[in-house]
């Protein structure tokens, strides 16, 4: 992780004398911008202070197509529109950055941080929010926040957002199969269990803490319980005890029938895809509904691969952009985040790397609405209407943390 940083010395323009009495608001400097001043700070003032600065963005670096998009077109667009130099800091795991921020806060390093913007959600946001290592609230002051649905602005895996992160991308979990091998995949959790038991060695999932493997576990937790997924929006100890017991029984029962007898699990989605392409297993899975189409386009998957969702529904969530508490350049961070929340960026991102369009179409201009309607959908990607009908919310992050721990102890027996 990069440790160097740039500081940008803007002076604070203060109102004085008669002007102050008339209610003139201060124009905070880039590094000195306080969240408390946002309501009184014109957006153009923030953009002006951002111009000519460098913004460091910490992002998960596990997708090469995304990396190329941000290192090229996004960096160029930010420079042209904002006059900002964008530096991408690749992260193997956002949890590592959150841990770094916790250590810096304990050490009293309240300024001069090496990251200005971080891509975050779920348990990482919950940890960061509880520890007070995020700058804000800021999200409601971003002009482009109007393009996102209200449901994305309030809770993230059960944690109140309170303006400390801005919604950015939306995703939904899907399974992939090859129609040359399987004509009718199992479309319920019960049917999946039967298929696994009848086809030993042909199914597996990534081990936690991998995000995709954890998401598969959460499907089992929710659906094996027999409860409405909405019941998991807030953590309840008794509900977790009952649901986890059933889910752990399910996972323990299928383990002997998994690839290599459940003695080992793939570590990453890339490992899972490799097994799938090599015909060692018959299903892959991912939290991007376009992942199979993307890999078909790159020649990594056969053209006969398609995706499906469970009839009970598959998890969907937003990921967010936040500002660390000790960011060196909060004005630049806000300007960059607002750019990344623009319809133009959302359209360009979906064209370049796939995924779902994350914004409310009703908020767009007629031209942007037409552009959304014309977005390409790959051969393996389900229709947006199909995905929407089967979308279920993520449980409270406490369920995730508890169930990963219990899976390691009870199923993997570590």
């Amino acid at each position: 992780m990069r440790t160097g940083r740039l500081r940008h010395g803007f002076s604070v323009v203060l109102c004085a004398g008669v002007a102050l009495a008339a209610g003139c608001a201060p124009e905070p400097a880039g590094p000195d911008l306080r969240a408390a001043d946002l309501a009184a700070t014109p957006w153009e003032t923030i953009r002006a202070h951002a111009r000519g600065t460098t913004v460091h963005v910490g992002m998960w670096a596990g997708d090469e197509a995304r990396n190329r998009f941000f290192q090229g077109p996004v960096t160029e667009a930010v420079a042209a529109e904002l006059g900002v130099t964008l530096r991408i800091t690749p992260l193997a795991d956002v949890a590592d950055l959150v841990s770094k921020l916790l250590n810096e806060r304990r050490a009293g390093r309240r300024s001069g941080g090496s990251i200005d913007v971080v891509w975050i959600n779920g348990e990482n946001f919950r940890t960061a929010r509880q520890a007070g290592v995020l700058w804000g609230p800021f999200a409601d002051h971003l002009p482009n926040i109007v393009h996102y649905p209200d449901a994305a602005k309030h809770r993230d895996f059960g944690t109140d957002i309170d303006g400390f992160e801005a919604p950015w991308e939306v995703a939904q979990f899907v399974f992939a199969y090859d129609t040359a091998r399987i004509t009718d995949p199992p479309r319920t959790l019960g049917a999946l269990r039967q298929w696994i038991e009848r086809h030993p060695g042909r199914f597996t999932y990534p081990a936690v803490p991998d995000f995709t493997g954890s998401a598969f576990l959460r499907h089992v937790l929710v659906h094996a319980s027999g409860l409405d997924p909405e019941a998991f929006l807030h953590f309840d100890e008794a509900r977790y005890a009952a649901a986890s017991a059933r889910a752990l029984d399910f996972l323990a029962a299928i383990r002997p029938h998994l690839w290599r007898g459940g003695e080992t699990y793939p570590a990453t989605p890339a490992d899972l895809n490799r097994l799938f392409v090599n015909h060692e297993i018959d299903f892959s899975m991912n939290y991007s509904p376009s992942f199979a189409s993307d890999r078909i386009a790159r020649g990594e998957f056969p053209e006969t691969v398609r995706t499906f969702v469970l009839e009970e529904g598959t998890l969907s969530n937003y990921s967010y952009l936040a500002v660390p508490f000790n960011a060196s350049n909060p004005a630049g961070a806000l300007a960059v985040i607002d750019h990344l929340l623009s319809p133009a960026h959302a359209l360009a991102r979906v064209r370049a790397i796939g995924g779902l369009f994350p914004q409310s179409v009703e908020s767009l201009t007629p031209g942007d609405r037409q552009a959304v309607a014309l977005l390409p959908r790959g051969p393996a990607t389900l229709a947006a209407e199909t995905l929407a009908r089967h979308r279920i919310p993520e449980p409270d992050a406490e369920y995730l943390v508890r169930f990963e721990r219990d899976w390691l102890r009870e199923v993997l027996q570590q």
Side-chain angles (χ1 to χ4, degrees):
M1 182 178 296
R2 181 189 56 78
T3 56
R5 55 186 180 274
L6 296 177
R7 295 294 302 271
H8 307 284
F10 296 108
S11 60
V12 180
V13 181
L14 298 176
C15 300
V18 176
L20 184 59
C24 180
E27 294 188 15
D32 300 322
L33 177 63
R34 298 184 308 161
D37 295 327
L38 286 178
T41 306
W43 183 251
E44 286 309 312
T45 299
I46 293 173
R47 283 177 59 113
H49 284 309
R51 185 167 294 277
T53 70
T54 298
V55 173
H56 296 94
V57 179
M59 297 179 59
W60 174 71
D63 186 303
E64 285 305 315
R66 176 183 293 275
N67 295 341
R68 289 192 298 270
F69 177 58
F70 276 86
Q71 296 286 357
V74 176
T75 297
E76 294 164 5
V78 167
E81 179 182 325
L82 303 177
V84 168
T85 299
L86 200 65
R87 296 282 184 253
I88 305 299
T89 298
L91 304 175
D93 193 327
V94 178
D96 296 334
L97 175 60
V98 173
S99 296
K100 180 174 182 286
L101 293 173
L102 293 174
N103 291 333
E104 289 175 346
R105 185 172 182 84
R106 283 193 289 264
R109 293 185 57 190
R110 297 181 177 274
S111 62
S114 59
I115 298 294
D116 301 304
V117 177
V118 58
W119 183 23
I120 194 170
N121 77 343
E123 72 274 25
N124 288 320
F125 173 71
R126 184 185 72 156
T127 300
R129 184 76 181 92
Q130 290 176 345
V133 296
L134 296 179
W135 188 94
F138 71 89
D140 291 343
H141 300 283
L142 302 174
N144 281 319
I145 195 79
V146 299
H147 298 300
Y148 284 80
D150 286 343
K153 303 173 187 176
H154 300 304
R155 291 177 70 80
D156 176 1
F157 280 65
T159 301
D160 289 332
I161 292 172
D162 295 330
F164 280 84
E165 61 178 4
W168 181 35
E169 297 190 0
V170 66
Q172 187 168 348
F173 196 91
V174 297
F175 295 87
Y177 69 109
D178 191 341
T179 59
R181 290 184 261 163
I182 296 175
T183 57
D184 187 21
R187 297 178 186 272
T188 68
L189 189 67
L192 178 61
R193 176 174 177 171
Q194 292 177 358
W195 191 96
I196 292 169
E197 292 173 346
R198 292 171 182 169
H199 302 83
R202 304 300 300 174
F203 183 89
T204 190
Y205 55 92
V208 299
D210 174 75
F211 180 78
T212 301
S214 176
F216 175 75
L217 295 185
R218 296 196 296 279
H219 283 90
V220 177
L221 177 68
V222 170
H223 292 322
S225 74
L227 299 174
D228 188 302
E230 299 277 341
F232 292 87
L233 289 177
H234 300 277
F235 185 77
D236 179 87
E237 194 74 52
R239 183 177 299 119
Y240 175 74
S244 63
R246 297 185 67 172
L248 291 169
D249 284 346
F250 178 103
L251 293 164
I254 67 170
R255 181 179 178 182
H257 307 286
L258 298 179
W259 173 71
R260 293 191 176 177
E263 291 301 315
T264 186
Y265 293 79
T268 67
D271 295 332
L272 186 74
N273 290 338
R274 196 173 303 112
L275 296 175
F276 176 63
V277 169
N278 291 339
H279 290 207
E280 293 187 58
I281 58 173
D282 290 321
F283 297 97
S284 188
M285 59 188 75
N286 200 278
Y287 218 126
S288 169
S290 66
F291 92 104
S293 292
D294 299 339
R295 282 155 181 79
I296 290 173
R298 299 202 295 260
E300 297 172 11
F301 277 8
E303 294 184 358
T304 48
V305 170
R306 295 294 182 267
T307 56
F308 69 98
V309 290
L310 298 176
E311 289 299 326
E312 304 102 318
T314 56
L315 295 170
S316 176
N317 71 58
Y318 271 84
S319 57
Y320 296 79
L321 298 169
V323 181
F325 78 105
N326 59 359
S328 295
N329 186 7
L334 296 188
V336 166
I337 290 174
D338 191 64
H339 171 85
L340 297 178
L341 267 59
S342 68
H345 171 81
L347 285 162
R349 189 178 69 246
V350 174
R351 292 190 190 107
I353 61 177
L356 299 174
F357 186 76
Q359 300 176 346
S360 299
V361 177
E362 297 77 11
S363 74
L364 305 178
T365 65
D368 284 339
R369 292 183 190 183
Q370 184 177 16
V372 172
L374 294 175
L375 284 171
R377 177 165 63 90
T381 306
L382 296 170
E385 297 79 9
T386 301
L387 291 167
R389 285 198 309 271
H390 295 88
R391 186 173 297 154
I392 61 173
E394 280 282 2
D396 186 291
E398 183 65 18
Y399 289 105
L400 181 157
V401 173
R402 296 277 194 101
F403 198 54
E404 285 187 358
R405 178 200 64 196
D406 289 347
W407 180 84
L408 288 168
R409 185 180 63 234
E410 303 294 335
V411 178
L412 205 58
Q413 297 179 342
Q414 286 188 352

